[in-house]
Amino acid sequence: MARVLVVDDSKETCEFLEELLGTMGLEVAKATHPDRAIELLRKGGFDLLLSDINLEAKKDGLDLLREAKPLGVDTILLSGFGTLETAIEAVREGAFDFLSKPWNNEELKALVTRALARRQSAGQGATQDASPKARRSLMIGSSAKMMAVYKTIASLQNSRATVLITGESGTGKELVARSIHLSSDRRDRAFVAVNCGALTETLLESELFGHVKGSFTGAVNEKPGLFEEASGGTIFLDEIGETSPSFQVRLLRVLQEQEIRRVGGNKTIKVDSRVIAATNRDLQQMVKAGTFREDLYYRLSVVELAVPPLRERGDDVGALLDHFLAEFGQKDQQTYHLHPEARRVLEAYSWPGNVRELSNAVENLTQLSRGREITVDDLPAKIQADVLKRALLRPESPEGTPSLIEDWPSLDELERRYIQILVGRHKEKQRIAEILGVDRTTLYRKLKRYGFHEGE
C-alpha cells in the first residue's frame, strides 16, 4: 500500500485529505508543522508528499520539497495564493505538480494517481535545475485559471519551442510572453515585441527582416531587422492573425530554416530567435476560412497557452485593484483608498476590456479623487449601470434563477427598479440622467411615468 504524507497548518484540512486519500486505498500520515513533517520524511517509507506551500512557519512547502527530493519522494504542492515565481521555483526544485486552493477533489485524486504511477514506472523524480531564479514577474492573481497559466510558463523554462498565446484583448498576452522569456535561459538576452496589426505588410517585413540600401524609396541605409536584434533572445509577434498570406509564407520559412533574408537582399542570415506569437482571433477558424496558413498555425502553436479573461479569474480583481492603486500611488506620491462599497462594485463589474480596462479605470479614479477616498459616486457611469442592472436581474428568492423566462420581471418593471435604486442613491437628477444615458427631459418623463414625484 502506497504511503502519503499530508502537510497543512489546518488540522481540519489534514483530516479531510486523510479521508479523501483513504478512499483511494492509500495509507496517510499527517503533520501540521514543517518540522514534524521533516521528522516523518527522514524516517522514510513515504511514496508521496502532499503539502500546502504556505505553512505559517519559518519553513514552507518548498522547503519540504527540497527535503523530500533526495529521499526519492515526489511532491504535490497546494497553494491558496500562488504566484508565477512560486510556480517556477516549484518546477525547478522538481515538484511533480501543484494545485490551487480550493481544489477539485477528482482532479486531486487523478493527480495523486499519476504521481504514484510515475514513481512505480520511472523511480526518482526530475533532476533539479540549478539555474538562477527568474526575475520577478508583474503577473498578478492566484485564481485556478491563473495558476494553470503559471504552470505552463514554469514548464517552458528549459524549452525553446514556439508558443502561441491566445486570449481576448486586454488580458495581458504580452506580459505572459515577457514572463516566458524571463523564466527561460534566454532571460539575459533581448526581448523584442512588435505589433503585426499596426504595420503595413511592406513596413512589417522591413521591420522584422531588415532591408538593404536602395531596396525601396527611403531605404537610404542598410538596416538589420528585429529578428537579428532578437537573436539569442525572444521575438514577440503580437496580433499575428492580422498578417497577410504572403507575409505568412516568409515567416514560415524563418521558422523552418532559422534564417532570414533582408528586403531587397540576396544573402541569407542565420538567426536564433525564439518566437512567441499572440492573437485575440480564432486562428483555427481562420485556417478553415483560408485566411491563415495551416502549416504556419501548427508551427506557431507547438505550445498553445490561453490567457483567461478577467471575468473568469475569481478573486483576482481585488488583488489587481490593490496592485494598480499602489502603482499609481507610488507614481503620484500619494496613498489612494477605495471605499468598501466602491470596491464591491468594481469587483462585481464584468470588465469586458479585461486587465487593460481595469488599469485605465483605476488610473482615472486616482487622478479624479485628488487624495479623497474613492467612493461609488466616483465610479464611471457605465460601471455603476452594469452592476446595478445585473443586481436587478438577480432573483430575490434564495432558490436561485427562475426556470422560465416568463418568470422574469417585464422590461418596464426592470427599468422602474433600476431608476428607483438610482433615485435612492443620487440626489442630482443630472447624474441619474448620465448613468441612464438619457437627457434630463427624458429622465423627467420616465420619473413621471413610474410615479416618482418631486421631493419623494
Side-chain angles (χ1 to χ4, degrees):
M1 179 186 296
R3 295 187 71 216
V4 180
L5 175 59
V6 170
V7 187
D8 195 290
D9 50 32
S10 165
K11 181 181 177 182
E12 291 76 14
T13 300
C14 286
E15 290 174 348
F16 174 79
L17 287 169
E18 179 182 32
E19 184 177 343
L20 180 67
L21 298 178
T23 64
M24 302 171 63
L26 303 176
E27 182 182 340
V28 179
K30 308 184 297 292
T32 57
H33 195 279
D35 290 340
R36 174 58 178 162
I38 291 172
E39 182 183 330
L40 290 172
L41 280 170
R42 288 175 177 172
K43 288 181 179 179
F46 290 103
D47 301 285
L48 181 66
L49 168 66
L50 185 61
S51 174
D52 190 359
I53 293 179
N54 309 291
L55 294 172
E56 301 293 333
K58 289 183 179 180
K59 294 187 174 76
D60 59 19
L62 290 170
D63 293 311
L64 297 185
L65 165 61
R66 297 183 189 105
E67 287 282 344
K69 187 175 178 182
L71 301 173
V73 179
D74 271 329
T75 302
I76 296 174
L77 295 172
L78 305 172
S79 174
F81 44 94
T83 64
L84 174 58
E85 291 71 40
T86 302
I88 291 171
E89 189 169 0
V91 171
R92 283 188 174 148
E93 296 287 354
F96 179 80
D97 210 330
F98 57 94
L99 285 177
S100 61
K101 291 182 175 180
W103 61 79
N104 176 285
N105 288 341
E106 294 305 314
E107 183 180 1
L108 177 59
K109 287 163 70 174
L111 197 55
V112 169
T113 300
R114 289 201 303 273
L116 294 174
R118 187 184 78 160
R119 179 178 175 81
Q120 290 179 353
S121 61
Q124 301 294 327
T127 302
Q128 181 173 343
D129 187 320
S131 58
K133 282 187 177 181
R135 298 168 189 166
R136 180 164 179 77
S137 165
L138 289 179
M139 296 183 70
I140 306 295
S142 57
S143 61
K145 292 203 172 184
M146 284 308 293
M147 290 291 285
V149 172
Y150 297 160
K151 283 200 287 187
T152 302
I153 293 173
S155 67
L156 291 171
Q157 60 185 309
N158 296 319
S159 169
R160 297 191 177 186
T162 54
V163 181
L164 176 64
I165 303 171
T166 61
E168 297 176 8
S169 294
T171 50
K173 295 186 288 294
E174 181 172 344
L175 193 56
V176 172
R178 288 183 181 276
S179 297
I180 293 172
H181 171 74
L182 289 174
S183 65
S184 73
D185 56 3
R186 296 177 172 238
R187 66 180 67 86
D188 295 323
R189 305 300 292 274
F191 175 90
V192 179
V194 59
N195 187 327
C196 298
L199 303 172
T200 64
E201 180 180 342
T202 302
L203 187 55
L204 180 60
E205 290 188 354
S206 174
E207 283 292 306
L208 289 177
F209 309 131
H211 60 255
V212 299
K213 182 178 179 180
S215 55
F216 54 84
T217 303
V220 294
N221 292 304
E222 187 173 54
K223 178 192 171 186
L226 295 180
F227 266 100
E228 292 175 71
E229 183 181 331
S231 193
T234 303
I235 187 164
F236 174 57
L237 305 177
D238 199 6
E239 295 192 29
I240 193 66
E242 307 301 323
T243 56
S244 67
S246 59
F247 172 81
Q248 292 168 25
V249 172
R250 290 201 66 178
L251 179 58
L252 179 63
R253 178 170 179 80
V254 174
L255 294 174
Q256 290 174 331
E257 308 297 334
Q258 289 292 294
E259 61 185 27
I260 56 102
R261 182 177 295 169
R262 292 177 181 170
V263 175
N266 52 22
K267 182 178 71 173
T268 59
I269 302 170
K270 282 289 183 182
V271 291
D272 174 27
S273 306
R274 194 224 189 126
V275 175
I276 301 176
T279 182
N280 58 10
R281 303 183 67 179
D282 188 335
L283 293 191
Q284 292 189 51
Q285 287 298 321
M286 292 180 68
V287 168
K288 291 178 182 177
T291 55
F292 199 87
R293 291 185 64 94
E294 184 176 30
D295 45 6
L296 177 59
Y297 169 71
Y298 288 121
R299 279 282 179 180
L300 291 173
S301 61
V302 174
V303 176
E304 191 163 339
L305 198 165
V307 184
L310 192 51
R311 63 182 174 275
E312 296 178 4
R313 291 177 53 181
D315 297 332
D316 287 351
V317 172
L320 286 162
L321 285 172
D322 292 336
H323 168 75
F324 288 121
L325 284 169
E327 182 180 278
F328 295 123
Q330 185 177 24
K331 180 180 177 182
D332 301 337
Q333 296 185 330
Q334 287 198 51
T335 301
Y336 296 112
H337 298 284
L338 266 180
H339 187 278
E341 181 64 21
R343 178 179 288 275
R344 280 193 289 272
V345 171
L346 291 171
E347 290 180 351
Y349 181 54
S350 58
W351 298 109
N354 295 297
V355 179
R356 184 185 295 128
E357 182 186 7
L358 187 148
S359 172
N360 290 343
V362 172
E363 183 174 19
N364 174 265
L365 290 169
T366 57
Q367 299 312 300
L368 297 180
S369 73
R370 298 181 181 179
R372 296 180 292 105
E373 183 178 50
I374 299 168
T375 67
V376 172
D377 287 340
D378 296 319
L379 304 183
K382 72 171 185 176
I383 292 181
Q384 294 191 50
D386 175 85
V387 174
L388 283 171
K389 284 176 182 176
R390 286 191 289 116
L392 285 170
L393 286 170
R394 189 180 302 124
E396 296 178 6
S397 168
E399 276 77 27
T401 305
S403 58
L404 299 174
I405 192 67
E406 289 82 1
D407 294 331
W408 288 107
S410 66
L411 290 176
D412 281 349
E413 173 62 14
L414 287 174
E415 184 175 54
R416 187 195 69 77
R417 292 188 197 178
Y418 185 26
I419 292 175
Q420 184 178 28
I421 292 175
L422 293 177
V423 168
R425 175 167 285 172
H426 301 283
K427 294 179 180 179
E428 296 181 1
K429 297 292 192 297
Q430 182 59 39
R431 180 60 173 161
I432 297 173
E434 289 174 358
I435 294 173
L436 287 171
V438 300
D439 56 34
R440 287 177 68 100
T441 302
T442 303
L443 172 62
Y444 284 120
R445 190 168 64 249
K446 288 180 180 291
L447 290 172
K448 184 178 179 180
R449 174 185 176 187
Y450 293 123
F452 297 102
H453 302 293
E454 190 66 33
E456 199 175 37

